[in-house]
Amino acid sequence: MEKNGNTENLQYENGNSFTSNCSTQTTQFDGLTGSQQPSHDTADAFGSLFKSAPRPGYGISSTDKDAWYYNMHHKYRGKAIIFNHENFQVRDLKSRAGTGLDCINLEVSLKNLGFDVTPYVDLTLAELDRKLDYWAKEDYTNYDCLLMAILSHGEQGIIYAKDGAYKPEDNLWGRFTGDKCVTLAGKPKLFFIQACQGDRLDGGVQLRTQVDGSSSFKIPVYADFLIAYSTIPGFYSWRNTQKGSWFMQALCDAFNKYGYQLDLLTILTFVNRQVAIDYESNVPGAVQMHQQKQIPCITSMLTRLVKFEKKN
């Protein structure tokens, strides 16, 4: 949701607060004291265990097992899918002015990197489901990777389509795991989410500067994913109604400058820095919202470095 008030040109995608607690425990050994038992692995879980059955046969890895970089020399760069949501039929969700510019800028940046880009606008849940099902069944044998961007409202753990909310882990990247989309197994699957993850604000803190081809191997089905959120869990994500969202502005700028020079995680580190340092909300008419900060959140399950190479 968005609360305009006297927010001038700045808006944010609303959600719920987030809390997290963790504790530490000492290492324990199985068996009687002094006994010698074979080493084994155990899960940090309580309750039922659901087995993941290996898919029959093999996925084909186009990258050597010990390679540092993903193979980015397939015939095609990759498919890039953009789901842009500006208008909604959900109560209290206002239109996202400025997201059209985000979509255009991102499409241009991705095409410059060699992606085949397909944008969608204001899909309903049913339409989104059909499009995702279509792309999950595509053959990506001749592609380097898959990239998907979602521009929408959100709350912690959910993203909004035009007429309702969905869980991204089930509906987005969950459809492209190595066991379900075999031609993407071992290839980068990159997801960029511009949406709120909560309703908390970040006021920032002031700083002063001081001076082998025949071998086979098994990988987890969720390996080779990268999920980049515009903000951390529990917090607002800011968007300028005329220039677009902070995250997409910084991401497109970094892709345009460094897309062929640096690896993806390094590029995203620069995006984090730009959003964190160069942007601050300008809402003088609403003291609580004024001079607030934002930091993107990157979750990487990548097993190698992603570096885009120019195609011939």
Side-chain angles (χ1 to χ4, degrees):
M1 292 179 287
E2 296 183 351
K3 302 176 183 177
N4 286 328
N6 297 319
T7 57
E8 295 188 349
N9 290 328
L10 285 164
Q11 298 176 342
Y12 44 86
E13 351 280 358
N14 189 27
N16 299 316
S17 60
F18 171 84
T19 59
S20 175
N21 297 307
C22 59
S23 62
T24 58
Q25 297 200 6
T26 57
T27 304
Q28 298 178 338
F29 296 91
D30 293 325
L32 298 175
T33 303
S35 64
Q36 299 268 339
Q37 292 193 357
S39 173
H40 67 281
D41 297 313
T42 186
D44 288 321
F46 178 78
S48 301
L49 295 177
F50 297 89
K51 296 183 67 176
S52 173
R55 187 184 179 98
Y58 286 95
I60 305 300
S61 174
S62 60
T63 304
D64 184 77
K65 177 183 176 182
D66 298 317
W68 284 26
Y69 291 85
Y70 286 101
N71 178 7
M72 304 299 281
H73 298 286
H74 295 83
K75 185 176 181 179
Y76 305 108
R77 165 70 69 233
K79 294 288 187 179
I81 317 301
I82 303 175
F83 294 107
N84 180 31
H85 298 278
E86 181 170 359
N87 304 295
F88 299 86
Q89 297 172 346
V90 180
R91 183 179 177 182
D92 295 329
L93 290 188
K94 297 182 179 180
S95 63
R96 302 180 58 256
T99 191
L101 185 59
D102 278 346
C103 186
I104 292 171
N105 289 338
L106 183 59
E107 183 176 358
V108 170
S109 296
L110 293 177
K111 284 183 176 179
N112 288 339
L113 290 176
F115 280 95
D116 179 10
V117 184
T118 302
Y120 297 104
V121 179
D122 292 346
L123 297 187
T124 64
L125 282 170
E127 292 168 339
L128 180 69
D129 184 72
R130 287 194 294 270
K131 296 301 182 184
L132 288 168
D133 188 59
Y134 169 80
W135 290 111
K137 293 177 180 177
E138 276 287 280
D139 183 354
Y140 297 94
T141 301
N142 294 319
Y143 291 89
D144 293 338
C145 61
L146 170 74
L147 187 148
M148 190 171 291
I150 296 85
L151 317 175
S152 188
H153 285 299
E155 299 178 24
Q156 188 173 323
I158 63 171
I159 299 174
Y160 284 96
K162 182 175 184 178
D163 60 346
Y166 62 93
K167 294 183 178 180
E169 62 269 24
D170 298 329
N171 291 277
L172 297 180
W173 44 87
R175 300 183 188 228
F176 297 91
T177 54
D179 57 336
K180 296 176 183 176
C181 193
V182 177
T183 56
L184 276 176
K187 295 181 179 181
K189 294 163 280 287
L190 314 172
F191 291 80
F192 297 87
I193 315 296
Q194 168 56 46
C196 271
Q197 291 205 72
D199 58 6
R200 296 172 63 185
L201 295 169
D202 184 346
V205 60
Q206 200 71 30
L207 297 179
R208 290 187 302 174
T209 302
Q210 288 183 326
V211 163
D212 59 354
S214 61
S215 64
S216 65
F217 58 97
K218 185 186 292 186
I219 61 173
V221 296
Y222 275 95
D224 307 302
F225 280 86
L226 180 139
I227 304 164
Y229 273 93
S230 59
T231 190
I232 60 176
F235 282 78
Y236 282 123
S237 183
W238 292 89
R239 170 173 38 84
N240 186 283
T241 57
Q242 295 179 348
K243 298 179 181 179
S245 63
W246 298 355
F247 179 57
M248 282 296 147
Q249 287 184 64
L251 182 65
C252 293
D253 184 55
F255 277 158
N256 294 339
K257 289 180 179 178
Y258 310 116
Y260 287 119
Q261 300 177 31
L262 304 171
D263 71 273
L264 182 58
L265 284 176
T266 301
I267 291 173
L268 292 178
T269 301
F270 288 166
V271 171
N272 279 5
R273 185 213 62 78
Q274 185 172 347
V275 172
I277 296 176
D278 294 349
Y279 290 90
E280 184 174 275
S281 64
N282 179 28
V283 196
V287 176
Q288 183 183 7
M289 303 296 171
H290 191 47
Q291 296 182 324
Q292 297 298 307
K293 304 294 288 184
Q294 178 182 322
I295 183 68
C297 179
I298 302 165
T299 299
S300 175
M301 289 84 85
L302 297 176
T303 58
R304 313 173 199 280
L305 297 175
V306 177
K307 189 173 186 299
F308 300 119
E309 304 287 347
K310 290 187 177 182
K311 300 291 185 182
N312 294 328

